[in-house]
Amino acid sequence: MAKDVKPTRKELMQIEDRIDLSERGHGTLEKKRDGLIMEFMDILDQAQDVRGELSEDYERAQKTINMARAMEGDVAVRGAAAALQEHPEITTESKNIMGVVVPQIESSKVTKSLDQRGYGIMGTSARIDEAAEAYEDLLQSIILAAEVETAMKKMLREIETTKRRVNALEFKLLPDLYENKEYIEQKLEEQEREEIFRLKKIKEKKEAEEDEEEELARTQRDAEEREPATASGVPGTN
């Protein structure tokens, strides 16, 4: 990558700015990743509790419905289920966790009293009441599990995305930028040494020319000084 950059001071300043920006971005993403992981661990603990409760509620619901069928018969159980007038309602909202939008599920009309279930109290037994209550609890657990599981999956995807960005900065972009910076600095140092050497040669050449000119001037002065002396020593004629 270093071969693709121009070894100029302007390019060096731009790379230094990119390094500074990338380092700050890397630090920010690391903090975000660590924060997401902490939030994810909390949600994971909650998910494990919810799964345990869901499993227990499911087993309880199965036992009570089987008992109701055995004691009251399938017809009575189906009739009690069909008598339900108000069905559960679910609404979804959103909440933000470390920049991740996760669903927040609200439910209503899930848990009902005996007179809200639609079937006559005198026409059913406690077995059907227990089964209805067990399935209401199971539905509540399912709704909570859906919320927690969805949040956990979204958090996990965001963690993976953030980790990839951190790794891209740490192991790809920043090393390339450091390499480019070092390459340009070396080239600039070479250019500076070459310029110093060139100026030194120019100075030496100029000094040599000045010495030659001074020597030539001195020679001319010596010659001019000797000429009058020679002229005055020539014998005159009468």
Side-chain angles (χ1 to χ4, degrees):
M1 186 175 177
K3 296 181 181 179
D4 298 332
V5 298
K6 297 179 181 179
T8 62
R9 295 199 177 277
K10 180 179 179 181
E11 187 74 18
L12 178 61
M13 291 176 62
Q14 291 177 346
I15 289 178
E16 287 175 342
D17 289 341
R18 290 184 63 191
I19 289 175
D20 181 62
L21 180 62
S22 298
E23 286 179 341
R24 285 190 281 113
H26 179 264
T28 301
L29 286 173
E30 277 191 323
K31 291 179 181 178
K32 179 181 178 181
R33 179 199 60 193
D34 295 342
L36 285 171
I37 290 175
M38 292 179 64
E39 291 288 345
F40 175 79
M41 296 305 295
D42 291 339
I43 295 176
L44 181 60
D45 291 339
Q46 185 181 358
Q48 292 174 342
D49 294 338
V50 170
R51 287 172 183 172
E53 293 175 2
L54 179 60
S55 178
E56 292 176 0
D57 289 342
Y58 177 76
E59 291 180 2
R60 175 170 169 262
Q62 286 293 98
K63 289 179 180 179
T64 56
I65 196 69
N66 291 334
M67 183 63 70
R69 284 174 176 170
M71 300 296 294
E72 304 296 329
D74 283 344
V75 174
V77 172
R78 292 179 184 275
L84 183 65
Q85 298 296 321
E86 292 185 344
H87 295 278
E89 295 179 358
I90 295 175
T91 58
T92 58
E93 296 180 356
S94 298
K95 61 181 179 180
N96 192 302
I97 302 177
M98 296 289 295
V100 183
V101 179
V102 298
Q104 187 170 10
I105 303 175
E106 299 290 341
S107 61
S108 61
K109 301 180 182 179
V110 175
T111 303
K112 298 178 175 62
S113 61
L114 290 175
D115 58 337
Q116 292 175 327
R117 289 174 182 157
Y119 55 79
I121 299 177
M122 301 303 295
T124 58
S125 68
R127 300 298 182 184
I128 292 180
D129 295 337
E130 291 175 359
E133 182 182 351
Y135 271 90
E136 289 171 355
D137 292 342
L138 176 60
L139 183 56
Q140 289 279 28
S141 296
I142 291 173
I143 293 170
L144 180 58
E147 177 182 322
V148 174
E149 292 284 342
T150 304
M152 187 172 63
K153 290 179 180 178
K154 286 197 171 187
M155 292 289 290
L156 186 58
R157 283 197 297 267
E158 187 65 21
I159 289 172
E160 292 298 325
T161 300
T162 305
K163 285 175 63 177
R164 285 196 297 269
R165 290 175 180 173
V166 170
N167 291 338
L169 284 170
E170 185 173 351
F171 300 111
K172 177 59 180 175
L173 181 59
L174 281 171
D176 287 346
L177 290 173
Y178 290 137
E179 181 183 355
N180 289 344
K181 179 184 177 183
E182 183 178 0
Y183 168 77
I184 293 176
E185 288 175 340
Q186 290 177 350
K187 286 296 182 180
L188 290 176
E189 288 177 0
E190 291 176 4
Q191 293 174 5
E192 186 176 355
R193 286 195 298 268
E194 290 174 357
E195 182 66 14
I196 293 173
F197 180 77
R198 186 180 69 83
L199 292 175
K200 183 178 179 181
K201 287 296 184 182
I202 292 174
K203 181 180 179 182
E204 290 176 352
K205 182 178 179 181
K206 185 176 181 180
E207 290 176 348
E209 290 175 351
E210 290 176 349
D211 290 342
E212 290 179 0
E213 290 176 356
E214 186 177 348
E215 181 66 24
L216 180 60
R218 187 185 305 111
T219 301
Q220 289 177 347
R221 287 196 301 270
D222 292 343
E224 290 174 355
E225 290 175 355
R226 285 196 299 269
E227 285 179 1
T230 304
S232 60
V234 176
T237 57
N238 293 325

